[in-house]
Structure formats: C-alpha cells, structure tokens
C-alpha cells in the first residue's frame, strides 16, 4: 500500500489549534476511561484518533463535544478556555459530531432528525415556525451529496438501512460543523461508494478550513485522509505521528495496542 | 463523486394511497374510535343525544377532561408521565378559591397567580424527575398523594375544618374576566338563532342551549395550539426528540431538561385551567375535585395515539380521545344500558388502543 492518495494533504499543521485538549482525564466512578490525554486540532487538518476497542476514543471525543465534562484537564477553544456544559454549547461554538451510536431518533423523519435541535425557522415573533420545505430540500440535497438518494425526506429514520442512517448523521454533522467536525467511526456501516464519498467529504471540508477529527479502525481509511495520527491505548496517548513519518505497518501495530495480532498475515496480505 | 441521477420520484417507492398515508397518522385510532362510538350510540341511544343540547351535554365533560388530556399527551410524547394532574386540579382549585374568597383578589390577579403556582408545582415535579433520574411514574405517584393530602389539609385550614370552600360565585360575580372562564359564550348568537327558529327553544322562546360552554372553546383552542406547536415549530421537534430518545436528543443539541420541565409545568397549568373553570362553574371547591382524572387523561392520550414509551403521538388524537370519553360517559345515560358499563367500556377501549398503537408504531418504524 502506498501512502500516495488522490487527496490533497494540508501542509504540516503549524497554524494555531482551533481546539486544544490538555491532560484530559475522565473517570466514571472507579473506572478510569481517560488517564491524561492531550490532543489538538488545527484548521484544515484531519487528525485521526486511533486505538483498540475500549481505548477511550469515544469517551475522549465526547468530552470534546460537550457530552462529558472532563474530570481533569483543560479545553481551549480558539485560544480561550472553554467549559462546555452541554452538546448544545459545543455545537453553538461550531463543533459538530457524528457519534458512534449516531444520536438518531428512529420514530422521527429524516428531516426532523437532520435538524434536531437546530431547526430552520421562518416568520418572526409568535409566528416563528419550523420551515419544513427548506429543511426537506436541504436534507435531500445534503444526502445526495453523500451519494445516497433518499426515498423521501419524511421517511422515518428507523426504517433506513444502517448505512443510510450513518450517512444521515454524517451529512448532518458536515452541514453544521462550521469549525470542527468529529467523526466517530463514520464508515463502519458504509458501502464502498459511500465510504469514498465520506473520505472525499472529509477532504473537501478540510480544504474549507474545518478541523476534522476522524476515528477509525481502518488503517487504510485513516492513511487516506489523515494528516496526523494520534494513537490511544488504555486511556493514554501512545503518541502522535505526522503523515509520512510512519509506515502503515507501524501504525497498525500501534493501533493494536502493541499486542500481537492474530497470525493471519499471509492470507490477509498485511493490510486489514 | 456525486450521483448523476437526480431522482424525480423514486422507483423504489410504491405510490402510497391516501388510505396508507392515513394509516401512519397517530390520531387515526382516535378518529376511528369516534366514528365507532358515534355509530354505536346512533344505533342504541335516544335520538336526543345528538341534538344540539345533547352534544353540549357530552362535550362539556369531554372538554374538561380534554384540556388535561392534551397536556398529558404532550408530556407523554416528551417521554414522561404525570400522575398528579388530578390532585393538581384539587390543589390549584384550593389555591384559586383561597385567592378569590379568603384574600378577596380580583380575577386579574387570582388567575395568573393560580397558573404561576401550578407551574411552580409542575417545575418541582419535573426537577425531581430530572435530578434523580427516577421514573416520572413513581415521582408523580408520590405527588398524587402529596397534593391530594395538601388540598384536604389546606381546605380545612382555609375553612376552619370544612372540606369545601364556598362563596366563589359571589366573590367573582361581576368580575370582567369571569365570562372568559365560566358560563357560556356566544349567547347573543344563540339567542338570535333561536329567534330565527334555527335552534330548539323552550316554550318561553329562550334557546335550550344558551351558548357554547367556555370550556369547549378552551378545549378546541388548546388542541389547535398544541397541534401547531407539535407539528410546525422547533419546540415540537424538541418534544418528539426528547421522548424518542433523550440521550440522542441531548447529544444533538436539544435542551432536553428544559423541554421536560416545561412540559411538566404545562400539564400542571392545564390542571389549573380546569380547576379555575370548574371551581367558578360550581361556585365552590372541594378536595375531591379532579379525582382520578390523571388516569382518564392518560387513557384519552393513549386512545389518541400516544405511545407509553414516548416520542410518538398527537394532540388532535388526545382531543378525539377525550371526546370518545365524554360520549361514553354521558351517552350511556341516553341508552337502556346500566351506566356502570362505562368502566368496562373504558378498559376495553384502552386495551384496543394500546394494541392498535403498537401496530401503528411497527408500521412507522418498519419494526426492528
Ligand atoms: N458511561 C460510562 N461508564 C463507565 N465506563 C465507561 C463509560 N463510558 C465508557 N466507559 C469505559 O471507558 C472505556 C473506553 O470506552 P470508549 O467507548 O471510549 O472506547 P472506544 O475507544 O471508543 O472503543 P471502540 O473502538 O470499541 O468504540 C471502556 O472501557 C468503557 O467501558
Ligand atoms: Mg468508540
């Protein structure tokens, strides 16, 4: 596997970070999920967060998106110390997230899910109301951009396929992620065409100056778009590597937490 | 890599018949229920039931229940229950009675104060549910007893030992706000209609139905407003999202706690409105006011298509659910049946409604 991809990669990140997380710890009762993780994202880069199952990736990005409050550590957003009290705060700051569980409501329509919490309105005063036509149009359009033609914007999310649902979540985050876009295993259920769409989308928004945090278990996907790679293991950072400084094999070993991989090398041809 | 095909209609979509679309609406069950119940009473009841005065007869209790049911429905869609609404009617009634009788306040003060008072109790309910994470079923069950008990104790304190507070009618007599919360509306219109011979009159020439009882107007207005909020405003989307999955809603930026507390406050205010209307109507208040209304309201909401698990339902459904209720309660007196069939009927309706709702939910979600 070569590291050259069709994507343009930003130069080595030297701009000031949009968001900087320092020594983040998160405890759930006696469970230590994060034991001091530092991480930052600069505008226009895709920073991959990699690691084994249970390493703490999802927990970490949840502190970034306001779901969890860190037990210890500081979050600096655009140079100012920030204390997100809720995901809504983070969103208003321009951070949008695709959660691993997608945060979708099965009984509600695609459009209503897409705009949940940030509904477009028309009219003013007490006549201010949900602009359903515009919301439907935007939803269909954004989904089309991701390579999925929905049957209709009023279909309940519960009736979508797993990949379609994931795509709604991604399209929603891309649409609202003005400054930081966090994607927690966004391609886990996607078809090849949709996966390449998502990777291309990451590339597109990165060019627009959005900082992307990309969590994946797939080394190829990470290497295809990543500018920097941070590996978490057992709640700690194993280290950060820039693109080109690390071979896919070394990265894969790090992602496995340094533990032996099952001996299948021969038949899998070295890439997973 | 974007798609080149722009879909004009989708070949993967069967043309949906009007009927199939209808089948997906949450209020369908309640509307079907209304048709069924009307058919039943048309067949069995005295024809007087569907005259103008007969209709007012069953719409009045339906409206009183319906105001509660719409509040309960919104709260259920938001994923919570309030079992204390019935007791809240008594408690708010007591507060309102004390305001106008004991403190001699004009309605312009007494009514807003009663609403604020009720909203505070609702907020306490909601805050406890949210802070503790306990099921609202248990928390509000506690308040069912607490508020009922407080109403009794409070009444005795206010009246020196009686469980009824009288004198409301005299106290509100002549208050300019009274016609909005009591009596009949459009009396002039009805008198004119009677004169024109368009509606039934007594021998004296006064119409048999002097006007539309105000609670019916409140009921219709609240149903329309609630439907508008649910379907056409961001707040409505938040309510559905909160009840559908509060965790997903929070993570998507919906202020779930605010939504829930507001809904608890709203149901309490609905109870206060019913309290104000019925207390002014009766001229007195007592501790049994609103007894078991919480169950009836929840049943009406369920008949109206609300799922017990939240996230699905409609205010219009609750509207029709309450009308079914009123028709059955009053309608049986127009028939030869023993009135006590009412409870059997009610339980049966509830059971059918729950089964029906379950089936509808499976259709909507494609069930998985
Ligand atoms: N709410 C919680 N309460 C208790 N423990 C938790 C909680 N959330 C996460 N954990 C623990 O924290 C650890 C990290 O979980 P996390 O979900 O962040 O892993 P992850 O790196 O995202 O894994 P995966 O690749 O499987 O998604 C796990 O051991 C998990 O059990
Ligand atoms: Mg995870």
């Amino acid at each position: 596997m070569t590291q050259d991809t069709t994507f343009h990669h930003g130069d080595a990140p030297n701009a000031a970070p949009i968001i900087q997380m320092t020594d983040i710890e998160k405890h759930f009762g006696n469970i230590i999920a994060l034991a001091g993780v530092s991480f930052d994202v600069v505008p226009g880069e895709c920073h991959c967060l990699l690691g084994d199952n249970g390493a703490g990736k999802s927990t970490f990005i949840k502190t970034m998106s306001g779901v969890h409050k860190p037990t210890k550590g500081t979050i600096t957003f655009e140079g100012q110390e920030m204390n997100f009290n809720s995901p809504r705060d983070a969103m208003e700051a321009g951070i949008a997230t695709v959660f691993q569980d997608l945060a979708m409501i099965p009984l509600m329509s695609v459009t209503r899910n897409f705009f949940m919490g940030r509904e477009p309105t028309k009219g003013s005063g007490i006549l201010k109301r949900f602009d359903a036509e515009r919301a439907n149009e935007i939803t269909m359009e954004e989904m089309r951009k991701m390579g999925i033609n929905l049957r209709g914007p009023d279909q309940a999310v519960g009736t979508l396929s797993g990949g379609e649902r994931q795509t709604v979540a991604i399209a929603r985050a891309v649409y609202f992620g003005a400054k930081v876009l966090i994607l927690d295993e966004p391609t886990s259920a996607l078809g090849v065409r949709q996966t390449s769409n998502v990777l291309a989308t990451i590339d597109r928004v990165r060019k627009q100056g959005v900082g992307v945090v990309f969590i994946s278990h797939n080394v190829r996907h990470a290497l295809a778009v990543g500018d920097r790679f941070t590996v978490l293991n057992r709640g700690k950072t194993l280290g950060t590597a820039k693109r080109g400084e690390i071979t896919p094999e070394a990265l894969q070993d790090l992602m496995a937490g340094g533990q032996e991989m099952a001996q299948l090398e021969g038949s899998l041809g070295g890439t997973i | 890599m974007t798609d080149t095909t722009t879909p004009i209609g989708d070949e993967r979509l069967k043309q949906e018949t009007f009927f199939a679309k209808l089948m997906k609406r949450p209020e369908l069950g309640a509307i079907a229920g209304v048709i069924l119940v009307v058919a039943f009473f048309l067949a069995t009841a005295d024809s007087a039931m569907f005259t103008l005065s007969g209709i007012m007869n069953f719409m009045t209790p339906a409206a009183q229940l319906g105001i509660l049911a719409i509040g309960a429905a919104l709260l259920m869609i938001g994923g919570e229950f309030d079992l204390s609404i019935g007791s809240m009617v008594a408690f708010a009634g007591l507060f309102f009675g004390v305001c106008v009788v004991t403190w001699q306040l004009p309605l312009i003060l007494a009514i807003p104060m009663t609403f604020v008072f009720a909203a505070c109790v609702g907020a306490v309910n909601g805050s406890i549910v949210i802070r503790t994470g306990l099921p609202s079923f248990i928390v509000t069950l506690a308040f069912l007893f607490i508020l009922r008990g407080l109403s009794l104790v409070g009444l005795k304190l206010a009246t020196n030992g009686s469980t009824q507070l009288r004198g409301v009618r005299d106290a509100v007599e002549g208050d300019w706000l009274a016609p909005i919360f009591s009596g009949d509306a459009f009396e002039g219109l009805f008198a004119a209609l009677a004169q024109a011979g368009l509606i039934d009159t007594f021998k004296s020439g006064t119409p048999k139905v002097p006007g539309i009882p105000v609670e019916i107007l409140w009921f219709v207005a609240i149903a329309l407003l609630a439907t508008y909020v649910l379907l056409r405003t961001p707040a409505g989307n938040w309510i559905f999202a909160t009840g559908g999955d509060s965790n997903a809603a929070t993570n998507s930026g919906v202020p779930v706690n605010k939504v829930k507390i507001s809904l608890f406050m709203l149901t309490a205010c609905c109870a206060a409105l019913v309290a104000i209307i019925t207390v002014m109507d009766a001229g007195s208040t007592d501790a049994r006011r609103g007894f078991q209304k919480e169950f009836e309201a929840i049943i009406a909401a369920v008949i109206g298509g609300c799922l017990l698990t939240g996230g699905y339902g409609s205010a219009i459904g609750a509207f029709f659910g309450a009308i079914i209720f009123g028709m059955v309660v009053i309608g049986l007196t127009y028939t030869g049946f023993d009135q006590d069939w009412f409870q059997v009927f009610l339980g049966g309706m509830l059971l059918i409604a729950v089964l029906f709702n379950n089936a509808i939910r499976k259709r909507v979600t494609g069930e998985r």
Side-chain angles (χ1 to χ4, degrees):
Chain A
M1 177 179 162
T2 63
Q3 280 181 37
D4 283 319
T5 62
T6 49
F7 298 122
H8 159 85
H9 288 276
D11 299 324
N14 43 20
I18 318 177
I19 186 160
Q20 185 157 25
M21 317 273 291
T22 322
D23 294 328
I24 300 291
E25 287 189 28
K26 180 68 197 176
H27 305 172
F28 297 104
N30 64 341
I31 297 174
I32 302 173
L34 298 172
V37 177
S38 297
F39 185 90
D40 63 79
V41 190
V42 300
E45 78 159 339
C46 172
H47 195 158
C48 295
L49 190 58
L50 310 169
D52 210 1
N53 288 131
K57 304 179 296 297
S58 299
T59 311
F60 183 72
I61 60 105
K62 280 183 180 167
T63 61
M64 203 184 286
S65 54
V67 176
H68 295 320
K69 281 196 146 200
T71 313
K72 273 198 202 121
T74 52
I75 305 176
T76 317
F77 185 77
E78 293 185 320
Q80 280 184 334
E81 192 163 319
M82 268 292 215
N83 225 333
F84 297 131
N85 281 315
S86 68
R88 196 173 178 80
D89 287 355
M91 265 166 210
E92 268 158 22
I95 302 176
T97 312
V98 178
F99 293 98
Q100 198 166 6
D101 65 8
L102 304 183
M104 293 266 142
I105 308 223
L107 281 166
M108 279 165 51
S109 72
V110 174
T111 303
R112 281 178 175 265
N113 266 289
F114 195 98
F115 286 97
M116 178 175 25
R118 285 155 292 187
E119 294 79 4
T121 54
K122 60 182 176 189
S124 59
I126 55 161
L127 282 178
K128 198 157 151 181
R129 58 201 186 276
F130 183 42
D131 190 348
E133 294 90 60
R134 201 157 71 86
N136 283 340
E137 262 167 42
I138 295 172
T139 306
M140 290 303 272
E141 177 56 31
E142 294 299 313
M143 288 300 287
R144 216 170 289 136
K145 278 191 206 159
M146 304 299 298
I148 295 227
N149 277 321
L150 285 179
R151 289 188 179 78
D154 52 0
Q155 195 177 351
V157 160
T159 62
L160 294 179
S161 80
E164 284 173 331
R165 216 179 301 179
Q166 201 160 31
T167 312
V168 178
I170 298 168
R172 172 174 75 173
V174 169
Y175 185 74
F176 287 107
K179 288 174 182 157
V180 179
L181 174 63
I182 303 171
L183 304 152
D184 192 348
E185 297 187 36
T187 52
S188 61
L190 297 191
V192 277
R193 196 166 56 88
Q194 284 76 11
T195 301
S196 83
N197 259 318
V198 168
L199 298 181
T201 306
I202 292 177
D203 188 50
R204 174 169 60 84
V205 299
R206 171 175 61 191
K207 279 189 194 130
Q208 292 161 4
V210 175
V212 181
V213 179
F214 180 43
I215 298 181
S216 177
H217 284 296
N218 188 316
V219 189
R220 283 158 165 279
H221 296 170
L223 282 168
V225 289
D227 297 305
R228 280 196 292 166
F229 309 91
T230 293
V231 181
L232 282 191
N233 187 32
R234 303 174 76 87
K236 289 202 177 112
T237 346
L238 278 186
T240 302
K242 276 186 197 158
R243 166 176 199 78
E245 285 177 354
I246 190 164
T247 64
E249 291 73 25
L251 196 59
Q252 188 161 309
D253 281 350
L254 279 175
M255 283 168 66
Q259 287 169 38
E260 286 285 299
M261 298 270 274
Q263 290 302 312
L264 276 170
E265 295 274 332
S267 57
L268 286 174
T271 45
I272 294 175
Chain B
M1 205 201 264
T2 44
D3 264 51
T4 44
T5 51
T6 31
I8 314 152
D10 199 301
E11 81 285 357
R12 298 166 301 177
L13 210 55
K14 271 194 294 187
Q15 192 63 42
E16 216 175 16
T17 59
F18 175 71
F19 182 72
K21 267 187 196 151
L22 207 67
M23 279 298 289
K24 285 188 177 171
R25 300 293 316 157
E27 54 270 3
L28 171 77
I31 294 173
V34 168
I35 293 170
L36 231 105
V37 171
V38 168
F40 174 78
F41 283 114
L42 277 177
T44 60
D46 192 291
S47 62
M49 181 172 171
F50 291 100
T51 60
L52 190 59
S53 65
I55 291 172
M56 294 301 172
N57 250 348
F58 69 72
M59 279 303 284
T60 306
Q64 290 172 3
L65 174 66
I67 294 170
L68 297 176
I70 291 165
L74 291 188
L75 185 62
M76 271 176 88
I77 297 172
E80 302 289 347
F81 279 105
D82 189 349
L83 293 181
S84 69
I85 8 179
S87 304
M88 190 66 223
V89 174
F91 200 40
L94 162 70
F95 184 85
F96 177 68
V98 168
C99 279
V100 294
V101 177
T102 314
W103 297 338
Q104 299 282 320
L105 294 174
L107 289 181
I108 186 73
L109 287 179
I111 288 172
M113 276 168 66
T114 307
F115 279 120
V116 170
F117 177 75
C120 288
V121 178
V124 169
N125 249 332
S127 307
I128 294 177
V129 168
I130 283 161
R131 287 278 163 77
T132 61
L134 290 171
S136 50
F137 180 82
I138 289 298
V139 173
T140 57
L141 183 62
F143 272 90
L144 182 155
F145 289 104
I146 293 172
L147 296 182
R148 184 69 67 191
L150 283 178
S151 308
L152 265 168
V153 175
L155 268 171
K156 286 185 192 157
L157 282 178
T159 59
N160 292 323
S162 160
T163 53
Q164 197 177 33
L165 182 65
R166 293 168 202 274
V168 175
R169 183 159 302 133
D170 297 333
V172 302
E173 189 89 82
D175 197 298
W176 61 274
L177 256 181
I180 300 178
F181 292 93
S182 65
D184 300 311
F186 305 127
E187 287 182 350
L189 177 70
F190 275 68
L193 285 175
Q195 211 136 50
L198 292 173
I199 54 176
D200 286 346
T201 57
F202 290 114
K203 288 211 180 79
S204 64
T206 52
K208 277 186 180 166
V209 178
I212 301 178
V214 284
E215 49 260 67
I216 296 178
L217 299 181
W218 278 103
F219 175 43
V220 172
I222 290 174
L224 292 177
L225 187 71
T227 302
Y228 174 77
V229 169
L230 272 181
L231 299 181
R232 290 276 175 273
T233 68
N237 210 26
W238 295 359
I239 295 173
F240 280 113
T242 300
D245 180 342
S246 65
N247 194 36
T250 314
N251 287 355
S252 308
V254 175
V256 166
N257 292 353
K258 263 192 218 162
V259 170
K260 285 194 174 175
I261 292 186
S262 313
L263 288 174
F264 273 107
M265 291 165 74
L266 180 88
T267 34
C269 284
C270 287
L273 177 61
V274 171
I276 292 168
I277 290 172
T278 56
V279 166
M280 280 172 65
D281 212 37
S284 68
T285 186
D286 60 82
R288 271 186 68 85
R289 197 159 287 284
F291 186 64
Q292 287 198 344
K293 285 290 179 223
E294 56 280 336
F295 295 113
E296 297 179 3
I298 289 173
I299 292 172
V302 170
I303 291 175
C306 291
L307 288 184
L308 295 156
T309 43
Y312 194 73
S314 86
I316 277 298
F319 175 86
F320 287 117
I323 292 179
I324 290 178
F325 216 100
M327 272 205 275
V328 175
V329 178
I330 303 296
L332 285 173
T333 59
Y334 288 92
T335 66
F337 297 110
D338 186 334
Q339 277 221 45
D340 288 328
W341 278 105
F342 157 64
Q343 306 215 14
V344 178
F345 205 100
L346 203 66
M349 283 296 282
L350 178 64
L351 210 54
I352 294 170
V354 172
L355 289 173
F356 193 82
N357 289 350
N358 222 19
I360 293 220
R361 192 202 57 215
K362 283 183 185 164
R363 279 187 73 97
V364 170
T365 58
E367 190 60 359
R368 43 190 75 228

